[in-house]
Amino acid sequence: MSNSIKQTINNATQWGWKIDPSSVSYDESAIKQALLQLNSPCYLVNNNGEIGLSQTAVAADQGGEGFLNVIAYTAPFTSDNFGDQRFSKAHGSKHAYHGGAMANGIASEELVIALGKAGYLCSFGAAGLVKSRVEQAIQRIQAELPDGPYAVNLIHSPSEPALEQANVDLFLQYKIRTVEASAFLKLTPQIVQYRVAGLSKNTDGSINIANRVIAKISRTEVATKFMEPAPQKMLDALVEKGLITAEQAELATQVPMADDITAEADSGGHTDNRPFITLLPTILTLREEIQDKYNYDPPLRVGVGGGIGTPTAVLAAFVMGAAYVVTGSVNQACYQAEASEHTRRLLSEAQTTDVIMAPAADMFEMGVKLQVIKRGTLFAMRAQKLYELYSNYDSIEAIPLEDRKKIEKQIFRRNLDEVWTETTTFFNERDPAQIERANGNPKRKMALIFRWYLGLSSRWSNIGEEGREMDYQIWAGPSLGAFNAWVKGTDLEDYKKRDAVEVADHLLAGAAFLYRLQNLKGQGFEFSSAISHYVPSSPVER
């Protein structure tokens, strides 16, 4: 019997096909190549104890003398077959795949445009950027992708509501049709305004939802808020301010706050570190309950992100019922991402254990943490030191002189009074209310000073600030380590050659290949490792 394929179960299934012996391959390499041709069917035969594969068959009554019986079969299955096709239709993409937002423009215009031109939806990482920078990105993306697909990120800013409002105003001005809402702890007037301002009635009486929302969540209580209609109290307030019409407020009671819910598992950046193997089923169950209650048309969709770094993970997500998958960490090491070469090299070398939680700049006072790379940087340790000082003291002046001198020398590399001057200048341009709230509030002032370091550390990573390498804040989840292990020994191991489109192509094509393989395994066949291991070698046919 062939060492490439072994029959582990005596399968009595009778297929209605016959195979010409001359079309059968027994060579390991030829068998794998046939399985990789995802658009073609594959038939297994047993020829005197040797298992072979053919891609052509005839009806049983048409087979000539000596033709072989089919003992197993797998149908054509491509990456287009995965997920909920309504996701692709709604967003104008070709695949149920979403390149998620990475803040500070790491999910850059280049990344959005490259994936968009290849038929993949991707979100621009608007979080943390000033309005003019976001506007510049929108203009470029719309020029390159006038018909999409693309999205822009709206991150919850509990301490900077004016920034959230400025972005919503910008999205409405430029008619941004898909927003990825992330890090929301609750609904805000801003996200409700964006959603509801795009509602209108079609001529047939149905509701047209012009402004789509993809809500990235990790908790059921937050997911519920996005799965249900907007709260009446917020709708009334928006109508009173003239930001939406009374008719739009009425229509909003019949639609969910989001079209798509991304169950965000153990990801880079903001995360609750939950494995998607437990989070996704929980959110899917919640979706069924709410969908049954409201009977939305079209129905709610649930995808998953966080942990998606290999074809195996992609396949697992889709088999579990995900409508789409979201990638992030694996894209940050690609050359289209707005990350310095030093950062991308560190990302390409990361293992699954090279991540750690550290205080977040945007939600520092709340004690919220995010996931970052720990190898090659001291950011997590230094950021944690700042949070400990913030927790233990009520003002900069209350910090013991020895501790103050240490953080000025090792972390800030300047006097904290100078840092406050720079912080004041920054927020007077971005959100003057922040400085007003800090005046007369020493604890708040200390938080803003410490956020100077947390905010700049990610920027240093993006631009490659020389001399600050040990302070780089690099967001990533353990899926990046899995991805690096998978591509080891291939062209994608080299961060200089990592192309986001090629990464997406291989993740989906690999998952489709593994799906076909699992189909045959379920019929009682075992394959050699040389066949069953998907290697991202040659470009995927488009």
Side-chain angles (χ1 to χ4, degrees):
M1 179 171 291
S2 168
N3 290 325
S4 299
I5 308 176
K6 294 181 180 179
Q7 189 167 6
T8 58
I9 300 174
N10 187 11
N11 197 327
T13 301
Q14 296 295 316
W15 299 94
W17 299 302
K18 292 281 189 177
I19 303 293
D20 185 339
S22 64
S23 70
V24 179
S25 297
Y26 301 95
D27 175 72
E28 197 168 58
S29 178
I31 290 171
K32 184 166 187 175
Q33 286 305 310
L35 288 167
L36 285 168
Q37 293 175 27
L38 304 175
N39 283 306
S40 299
C42 289
Y43 309 88
L44 295 188
V45 298
N46 187 328
N47 190 0
N48 296 320
E50 187 173 19
I51 308 297
L53 183 146
S54 175
Q55 293 176 280
T56 60
V58 298
D61 58 359
Q62 296 177 9
E65 185 176 351
F67 272 48
L68 303 170
N69 292 321
V70 173
I71 58 175
Y73 162 76
T74 185
F77 191 94
T78 69
S79 57
D80 295 345
N81 297 125
F82 281 126
D84 190 331
Q85 304 304 309
R86 288 170 294 197
F87 175 86
S88 303
K89 183 177 180 181
H91 300 291
S93 62
K94 295 179 181 178
H95 311 283
Y97 182 103
H98 178 199
M102 293 177 284
N104 288 343
I106 295 174
S108 64
E109 298 100 309
E110 288 78 8
L111 185 67
V112 174
I113 292 166
L115 285 170
K117 288 186 174 180
Y120 293 106
L121 177 69
C122 182
S123 298
F124 175 71
L129 301 179
V130 296
K131 182 178 178 179
S132 59
R133 174 69 181 89
V134 178
E135 184 172 24
Q136 176 188 354
I138 289 172
Q139 290 172 343
R140 183 179 171 197
I141 292 168
Q142 289 187 332
E144 294 280 351
L145 297 171
D147 301 317
Y150 65 86
V152 182
N153 179 226
L154 178 67
I155 194 166
H156 180 36
S157 304
S159 60
E160 299 180 80
L163 184 62
E164 198 173 320
Q165 184 64 58
N167 279 327
V168 167
D169 293 341
L170 203 59
F171 300 161
L172 294 175
Q173 175 188 344
Y174 281 91
K175 293 181 171 56
I176 299 299
R177 293 311 184 196
T178 302
V179 157
E180 181 185 15
S182 60
F184 277 78
L185 304 174
K186 59 182 180 180
L187 293 181
T188 65
Q190 291 81 16
I191 186 62
V192 173
Q193 178 192 352
Y194 170 79
R195 176 65 163 177
V196 180
L199 299 179
S200 62
K201 263 192 176 182
N202 294 315
T203 54
D204 62 0
S206 62
I207 300 175
N208 176 53
I209 304 174
N211 295 344
R212 295 177 292 271
V213 173
I214 302 173
K216 191 188 298 181
I217 58 86
S218 58
R219 296 173 178 267
T220 53
E221 62 269 25
V222 180
T224 299
K225 295 181 186 301
F226 278 99
M227 289 182 181
E228 293 182 336
Q232 190 64 51
K233 188 175 181 180
M234 275 191 188
L235 294 172
D236 292 341
L238 290 168
V239 171
E240 187 175 341
K241 292 179 180 179
L243 297 175
I244 61 173
T245 67
E247 181 184 41
Q248 287 172 330
E250 171 59 29
L251 295 176
T253 63
Q254 304 171 58
V255 300
M257 264 301 300
D259 308 271
D260 300 285
I261 305 293
T262 299
E264 184 181 20
D266 197 6
S267 65
H270 287 287
T271 179
D272 283 333
N273 305 108
R274 300 182 182 184
F276 79 71
I277 201 167
T278 55
L279 179 62
L280 179 57
T282 302
I283 302 302
L284 285 171
T285 299
L286 178 64
R287 186 276 307 272
E288 294 304 321
E289 294 173 359
I290 294 180
Q291 178 63 37
D292 287 345
K293 178 179 179 181
Y294 291 98
N295 195 29
Y296 296 126
D297 184 23
L300 287 163
R301 296 180 292 264
V302 173
V304 66
I308 308 296
T310 62
T312 307
V314 171
L315 178 58
F318 282 126
V319 170
M320 289 172 64
Y324 57 95
V325 294
V326 181
T327 57
S329 298
V330 299
N331 298 326
Q332 190 176 180
C334 295
Y335 61 76
Q336 293 100 336
E338 188 66 29
S340 66
E341 185 166 330
H342 180 83
T343 292
R344 290 191 293 111
R345 180 179 60 78
L346 287 180
L347 288 165
S348 71
E349 296 170 351
Q351 300 179 18
T352 55
T353 54
D354 288 333
V355 291
I356 191 172
M357 299 300 290
D362 56 345
M363 301 182 186
F364 178 76
E365 298 93 318
M366 301 167 65
V368 174
K369 294 188 175 185
L370 38 68
Q371 193 156 221
V372 298
I373 290 288
K374 66 179 178 180
R375 175 190 282 194
T377 170
L378 295 175
F379 166 77
M381 182 179 70
R382 290 174 173 174
Q384 183 59 35
K385 176 63 178 178
L386 295 181
Y387 185 73
E388 290 172 1
L389 291 173
Y390 174 77
S391 300
N392 293 333
Y393 302 100
D394 292 326
S395 68
I396 290 293
E397 292 71 24
I399 297 174
L401 184 59
E402 183 178 348
D403 285 333
R404 174 168 175 163
K405 287 182 177 179
K406 184 178 292 186
I407 63 174
E408 286 180 333
K409 180 181 179 181
Q410 296 179 352
I411 300 178
F412 292 93
R413 299 188 187 179
R414 64 188 67 192
N415 185 281
L416 294 185
D417 294 332
E418 296 176 14
V419 174
W420 175 241
T421 300
E422 289 187 19
T423 302
T424 301
T425 301
F426 172 79
F427 278 111
N428 278 334
E429 294 178 0
R430 176 189 176 106
D431 184 4
Q434 296 293 318
I435 302 303
E436 294 173 10
R437 290 167 55 194
N439 289 330
N441 187 339
K443 187 84 167 179
R444 176 67 179 162
K445 177 181 177 180
M446 177 167 53
L448 292 183
I449 289 174
F450 287 175
R451 283 173 57 188
W452 176 94
Y453 172 76
L454 274 69
L456 281 178
S457 56
S458 60
R459 183 174 182 273
W460 292 333
S461 169
N462 293 354
I463 66 175
E465 183 77 14
E466 292 186 7
R468 279 290 192 173
E469 288 83 359
M470 296 306 292
D471 293 294
Y472 284 6
Q473 179 183 176
I474 307 170
W475 303 311
S479 63
L480 179 64
F483 177 87
N484 289 335
W486 169 52
V487 301
K488 190 173 181 60
T490 73
D491 285 347
L492 289 178
E493 181 179 7
D494 184 354
Y495 67 92
K496 295 181 180 179
K497 298 179 180 178
R498 287 194 185 178
D499 176 88
V501 174
E502 190 175 354
V503 167
D505 285 346
H506 280 298
L507 285 173
L508 289 178
F513 168 78
L514 294 175
Y515 177 83
R516 278 158 54 94
L517 211 62
Q518 284 299 127
N519 193 337
L520 293 171
K521 286 182 178 180
Q523 296 173 58
F525 294 88
E526 183 180 284
F527 296 81
S528 67
S529 60
I531 291 177
S532 60
H533 181 57
Y534 180 86
V535 179
S537 51
S538 57
V540 176
E541 289 187 15
R542 305 190 126 267

